[in-house]
Amino acid sequence: MFVTNHDPRRAPDGSAARTPLVPRALAAAAAVALLLPAPAHALPGALDLCGGNSYTVCVRLSDWTFGTGTGAGGNGLGTDQLRFTLANGTAAAYAPATVTTFLIAGLGSAYDVASVSASSGGPYVGVSSGTAPNADNGFAGVGYATSPQPSFVGFDNGGVTGLAAGQAATLTFTFTRPIATTDFVDGDAWRSSLRFAVHAQGAAPEVGALCGATSSKAAWDATGAPLPGAGDARPAGCGDGGTLTGAVVPEPATLVLAATGMAGIGLVARRRRRG
């Protein structure tokens, strides 16, 4: 028996073998990737927040944009500006409650807000750790540890006008100095130090009678989980239908009835086939 040592780089006839197209394409793509600059911090997607110390309040934060300048290559926002969309997804059962205050705390460094503008629902008053009306707006009782809360921004319209259920507004914050995306974002996730809080006011008197108040406050961490001590234990009947999706989770008794009904339909169909 003879064993021939074959060079895998050459064809059986001795000519140079061709490199398959797929490996060559992958190698070329890898080489190009090495030449490209590293991607900038990616902004997380929409963040849905639900909670409350009286009744369930739901908001959605989305479309975050940090200013990169107004010149060539910029996104139209100054480097001292932040813009995002705030939507009130609170169930109609707690109407006409409106979102009147929203705060972002735990920033990387101290921020002061020069102004806040809104596409609808305004006017709003910019707040920061040094100028916030009512100190921390009472959020110390729903998970904010200190009063006033260090390094936070948000809006407070004094309870006069807010976002009603189903409404959304694009908020643009202008700071007193350039801001850094990395103070808000770590990679493609929110910085773990961030906290969010919301205050809804103006629910119907019957809601207040059932839930103990016509306003509700809530606070969450960067993942959207309620903060410890955030008063997320609401009275019975005050947490129903509060999700942004409006999905209704069937109660166990309802599931039993549904299963019994389906079984009955199956039995009737079986008897008809036998008949």
Side-chain angles (χ1 to χ4, degrees):
M1 178 181 293
F2 297 94
V3 178
T4 302
N5 292 327
H6 175 62
D7 186 351
R9 295 172 296 181
R10 307 190 69 83
D13 62 357
S15 62
R18 293 184 177 181
T19 304
L21 292 177
V22 173
R24 280 193 293 173
L26 291 176
V32 172
L34 292 175
L35 299 176
L36 295 176
H41 286 268
L43 296 180
L47 181 62
D48 293 337
L49 306 171
C50 285
N53 62 343
S54 297
Y55 50 85
T56 299
V57 177
C58 289
V59 294
R60 168 171 289 174
L61 312 178
S62 61
D63 304 326
W64 292 81
T65 305
F66 294 86
T68 58
T70 56
N75 57 13
L77 290 180
T79 56
D80 60 348
Q81 290 184 314
L82 162 67
R83 181 175 63 203
F84 65 94
T85 298
L86 173 68
N88 183 355
T90 304
Y94 308 119
T98 62
V99 172
T100 59
T101 304
F102 177 78
L103 302 178
I104 308 170
L107 304 179
S109 57
Y111 280 90
D112 285 323
V113 180
S115 65
V116 182
S117 63
S119 60
S120 63
Y124 295 106
V125 179
V127 301
S128 71
S129 57
T131 60
N134 306 318
D136 63 352
N137 293 275
F139 284 106
V142 285
Y144 277 48
T146 61
S147 175
Q149 184 66 210
S151 297
F152 70 81
V153 299
F155 71 79
D156 186 332
N157 66 355
V160 178
T161 306
L163 293 177
Q167 285 187 330
T170 299
L171 301 173
T172 301
F173 288 80
T174 300
F175 298 90
T176 55
R177 62 172 179 80
I179 61 175
T181 306
T182 52
D183 282 342
F184 291 82
V185 178
D186 182 9
D188 59 354
W190 297 114
R191 291 186 62 89
S192 59
S193 61
L194 289 186
R195 297 175 296 282
F196 305 96
V198 68
H199 187 191
Q201 296 177 273
E206 53 267 28
V207 173
L210 175 64
C211 305
T214 57
S215 67
S216 189
K217 297 178 180 178
W220 305 268
D221 64 17
T223 68
L227 289 175
D232 207 37
R234 295 168 294 276
C238 295
D240 304 320
T243 61
L244 287 161
T245 59
V248 177
V249 180
E251 296 180 359
T254 304
L255 293 175
V256 171
L257 289 174
T260 304
M262 293 300 293
I265 294 174
L267 181 61
V268 171
R270 185 176 179 183
R271 287 180 176 177
R272 286 183 177 177
R273 285 198 301 270
R274 287 182 174 180

